[in-house]
Amino acid sequence: MKRIIMLLISVLLFSNTNAVNHYVNAGNFYYSPSYLSINVGDTVTWINDGGYHNVNFDNNTITGNSFNNPVSFISNPTNNDTLFIYVFDIAGYYQYDCSV
């Protein structure tokens, strides 16, 4: 799951009262869907289809270069059904991968 998958987040510049929950399936070498358009306040839940994974928004696992995301974080690795849940509150373009 070292392959970089990008998450495109186009958000409004104001708070969204109609927040949406998005679900991303994750497994060996994939996130599906790999791109999302979300609004401020939307929640993204990464669902583990199998294996031990995390969601890495910090540095590219392959190149070591920073993703330069508006927000930088790494979730804890897990083999639980839910990998990570995040509510986005900053507009921008985000890239991520699994760093396990």
Side-chain angles (χ1 to χ4, degrees), residues 35-73:
Y35 295 90
L36 290 175
S37 178
I38 65 172
N39 295 308
V40 169
D42 283 4
T43 300
V44 177
T45 301
W46 285 266
I47 305 297
N48 190 357
D49 289 345
Y52 187 70
H53 306 288
N54 72 346
V55 182
N56 168 31
F57 279 78
D58 190 24
N59 292 318
N60 181 306
T61 303
I62 295 171
T63 66
N65 295 328
S66 174
F67 283 129
N68 294 315
N69 290 326
V71 176
S72 180
F73 57 85

